[in-house]
Amino acid sequence: NPEEYDKIVIVFTDRLDVPAFGDSRRQAMKELPYADKIINLNLPESNYWRDKTKREDYLDCYDDVCFWLQAGIEEGDTITTHNPYGEYGHTDHMLVWHACMDTVDVPVNGRDPKLYREAKEVYKSNKVWTWEL
């Protein structure tokens, strides 16, 4: 429910495979009843979910989201975002969740990202971490 949040961050706007999509998405955001709460990062979707040769674009998006999170999230904030599976396997949704968990020190979906990072490092040091960007 958008009424419950002070800020709503939209990460991806443009789709390179659908040229007019970003303009339409930006227009829709202006017309929403909670438009004043929207922060649009205006990143283009990498299209990695469809084209695995777009890995570098995907990693660039991840870096951009992490950079924004480091600058845009303040102590006392909380984040509600996609789940680790991107709801239905959507890789861009998964990217946003991982960027949050890898970057911020505030609750994400009610979870402590510090604990996530600690567990991740244990798995990585034992060479059994199975998810990488």
Side-chain angles (χ1 to χ4, degrees):
N1 181 355
E3 293 173 349
E4 297 177 12
Y5 300 100
D6 297 327
K7 298 182 258 187
I8 299 168
V9 179
I10 305 294
V11 175
F12 300 106
T13 309
D14 292 299
R15 285 186 54 178
L16 303 179
D17 60 332
V18 184
F21 196 85
D23 292 336
S24 297
R25 201 178 248 173
R26 278 184 285 280
Q27 183 58 42
M29 282 186 253
K30 289 179 189 175
E31 296 176 22
L32 291 170
Y34 46 84
D36 59 324
K37 295 182 177 189
I38 293 176
I39 298 168
N40 184 4
L41 301 189
N42 232 354
L43 295 177
E45 293 180 12
S46 68
N47 209 25
Y48 177 69
W49 63 277
R50 186 178 293 180
D51 179 356
K52 297 304 182 209
T53 68
K54 301 285 187 177
R55 182 170 169 76
E56 287 303 314
D57 294 334
Y58 187 70
L59 294 174
D60 288 345
C61 287
Y62 172 83
D63 290 341
D64 289 342
V65 174
C66 289
F67 179 80
W68 184 87
L69 287 165
Q70 290 167 343
I73 301 300
E74 301 171 2
E75 187 176 333
D77 285 349
T78 62
I79 297 173
T80 302
T81 189
H82 301 287
N83 68 32
Y85 313 106
E87 288 72 51
Y88 50 91
H90 195 298
T91 56
D92 288 330
H93 296 175
M94 293 163 58
L95 176 151
V96 172
W97 184 85
H98 280 281
C100 290
M101 295 303 283
D102 289 343
T103 304
V104 301
D105 291 325
V106 301
V108 178
N109 297 347
R111 305 284 191 255
D112 181 356
K114 294 176 191 175
L115 179 61
Y116 162 84
R117 290 193 291 268
E118 185 178 323
K120 177 180 176 178
E121 287 308 312
V122 169
Y123 277 92
K124 287 178 95 171
S125 70
N126 286 282
K127 298 180 178 26
V128 292
W129 183 251
T130 59
W131 195 90
E132 287 295 329
L133 285 173

